[in-house]
Amino acid sequence: MPVVLVRHLTTQEFGEYRLVWLVAETGLILFPLFLPQSLFYFLPRAAPGTRPKLVGNTFANLFALGALAALLSLGLMPVSPGSIAALERHSPLVQIFIGTWILASILDALPTADEKAEWGACATIALAIIRTAALAGAAVASGDVRWLLVVMCGLAMLKVGIAVFYALLVAHERGLGFDGELARMQLMYSLPFAIANGFFALRAQAGQWVVAANFPSSAFALISIASMVNLLGSLTRQPLCNALLPNISSMVGEGNLAGARKLISKAYLLLVCMLLPAFGWLIATADELVELIYTREYLGAAPLMRIYSVGQIATVFGSGWLLSAFGLGRLAATIGAISLLLSVALSILGLHFFGLAGAVAGTVAGLVLWEWWGLIKVAKALETSFAKLIPMEQTGKIALVAAVGVLVAQVVSSELDTSVFLRLVAKSSAFMTTMLLGFVLTKVHHSVISLVRGASEEAPLGRPEKPDAAHEPSRVVDPDRLRQADLS
């Protein structure tokens, strides 16, 4: 999609398009109140007949919160700083998209929390294909960012429709209901995590907001392009984390800490094997990727992309996603608040002394603080140390091989005077060859093969088989038991 957009929109219009997404994503941070994600906690524990009420409560609350977000955006946008105020000329399309996108966010969590992850994956893939085709088609046909906003509103409504379809016709317990007492309990559970995740996600956006408030939309386009690196981490982490959370939540609820430790360690090994080579390749090929995808006009995003990649490598053992499985909402809020303040302060200082690169570095510093603090607390909850939770030996070997791969790629391409595509091929080939040889020489490939074989022979990622029903501890939560729980 960006290949098409940057070639059919001006730099200013492309920056405005990315600014709309920044505002919408900030709305997703502040207004859903962690209610979609709370389904990971409630649905696996729900008593028969309770699931439709939990889902209906979430729909109703998101509808009200989305409407509130749209109204606030309509009132605040004219007085916003910098390039954000310029988006007022696209009202009310921006507000309609924000409100509908917040309501549609339930689809990101509902199928997986309902233990139908494959259905959710198919819906996500289908929506991604439709979104790419529709937005690219609108850009080619009109070359006008306003028509892109019209299409975005239609896509948000389609996503809401798919979520309703799932709840009424596909879910384990079909239908939608409402229960005020259950809604109150969902809010009691979700609010601490909403605050914590809000701090965390705003910290991730701190650098972008600092730039948006001080630079025109064309400068914001550079940092928004560089931040696309974070999507690679999300595309790898989020599906794995979402798939594991119900299992980990069940194990913790049953008191099976050993099983939870084993499952988390396997997940970390899998993430290391995927993310370290991926971000090493991005560091080695950032210039070529930006030029090939976004044109030379946006080459200023390449060094920013490398800084984001280093931050993603430093947080490969991120544990913020695990805090909800342990009910550590208050702790998560504290960690998030401190990391957000640090990110904002460092982004402002970095922007003052080092420009856009300093703003990105400040954001990365807050991310590292959040994830490693969370890791220490999760390890303590599992009655172990983070050094035992992390596969240290394999991680060190993979990191070393990836670093050597980056150096080899730079040496190979240093004397090349050819097209950007051939430079990208040369760097990629050198990096991947080094990685494969390094995996064999350090014998890391044995761990990878063992992990894959174990996953294919056992339940997903090694989850222990359930005991017989007569001996299985009860983990179904009904409304009466929820009322007595200390959800804080």
Side-chain angles (χ1 to χ4, degrees), residues 369-437:
L369 172 67
W370 160 274
E371 295 291 9
W372 279 88
W373 194 348
L375 174 63
I376 293 170
K377 295 302 181 181
V378 166
K380 183 177 180 181
L382 289 169
E383 299 177 359
T384 186
S385 65
F386 72 85
K388 293 181 180 178
L389 201 59
I390 295 174
M392 299 295 291
E393 181 180 356
Q394 293 93 333
T395 300
K397 291 178 179 179
I398 295 171
L400 176 62
V401 172
V404 173
V406 172
L407 292 175
V408 170
Q410 294 298 328
V411 171
V412 167
S413 64
S414 60
E415 300 299 327
L416 286 179
D417 184 14
T418 183
S419 68
V420 60
F421 178 75
L422 291 179
R423 291 201 312 272
L424 178 61
V425 171
K427 281 190 174 182
S428 299
S429 300
F431 179 81
M432 294 306 300
T433 302
T434 304
M435 289 296 304
L436 292 174
L437 288 175

Side-chain angles (χ1 to χ4, degrees), residues 33-330:
L33 301 183
F34 203 72
L35 287 168
Q37 294 85 346
S38 74
L39 296 174
F40 285 108
Y41 180 90
F42 286 100
L43 289 183
R45 293 168 161 86
T50 307
R51 289 190 177 210
K53 296 177 182 178
L54 290 167
V55 177
N57 292 344
T58 306
F59 266 109
N61 284 320
L62 288 177
F63 180 82
L65 292 165
L68 177 61
L71 291 174
L72 286 175
S73 173
L74 189 63
L76 293 177
M77 191 167 288
V79 296
S80 298
S83 54
I84 300 296
L87 295 179
E88 185 186 6
R89 67 190 185 93
H90 299 303
S91 297
L93 289 174
V94 175
Q95 288 75 23
I96 293 172
F97 174 68
I98 292 171
T100 311
W101 201 243
I102 288 171
L103 175 58
S105 65
I106 188 173
L107 185 63
D108 298 330
L110 175 57
T112 306
D114 198 38
E115 300 182 85
K116 290 193 175 183
E118 291 182 3
W119 198 98
C122 291
T124 300
I125 293 169
L127 279 170
I129 293 172
I130 294 170
R131 171 184 161 188
T132 301
L135 289 176
V140 172
S142 68
D144 187 347
V145 70
R146 193 169 182 84
W147 277 107
L148 291 181
L149 294 176
V150 172
V151 172
M152 288 162 62
C153 291
L155 291 169
M157 294 175 187
L158 174 62
K159 190 174 180 181
V160 172
I162 294 175
V164 173
F165 173 84
Y166 178 88
L168 295 179
L169 299 175
V170 182
H172 275 125
E173 293 186 28
R174 301 170 186 175
L176 292 172
F178 186 81
D179 186 309
E181 187 66 16
L182 273 179
R184 183 185 68 84
M185 293 173 190
Q186 284 178 272
L187 283 171
M188 287 175 60
Y189 169 84
S190 66
L191 278 176
F193 291 107
I195 296 171
N197 279 17
F199 286 143
F200 168 74
L202 288 173
R203 175 221 44 78
Q205 290 185 341
Q208 296 185 49
W209 276 105
V210 169
V211 172
N214 292 276
F215 287 91
S217 58
S218 56
F220 175 79
L222 295 179
I223 194 171
S224 69
I225 288 171
S227 68
M228 296 295 287
V229 166
N230 297 331
L231 289 180
L232 177 61
S234 298
L235 287 170
T236 306
R237 283 192 183 97
Q238 188 172 343
L240 178 64
C241 297
N242 286 352
L244 291 180
L245 272 176
N247 294 355
I248 295 172
S249 180
S250 296
M251 290 179 182
V252 172
E254 295 165 2
N256 184 9
L257 297 185
R261 287 195 295 267
K262 181 180 178 182
L263 188 60
I264 293 169
S265 292
K266 285 187 174 183
Y268 281 151
L269 178 57
L270 185 59
L271 287 172
V272 167
C273 291
M274 291 189 293
L275 289 181
L276 261 64
F279 285 113
W281 174 74
L282 279 173
I283 291 172
T285 61
D287 292 308
E288 289 73 22
L289 286 172
V290 171
E291 183 176 351
L292 188 65
I293 297 174
Y294 296 98
T295 73
R296 294 186 61 85
E297 192 171 0
Y298 295 93
L299 269 178
L304 309 180
M305 188 179 289
R306 291 191 174 95
I307 298 174
Y308 274 122
S309 296
V310 170
Q312 289 291 318
I313 290 173
T315 57
V316 70
F317 301 109
S319 298
W321 61 280
L322 286 169
L323 295 176
S324 61
F326 294 87
L328 299 175
R330 192 171 299 173

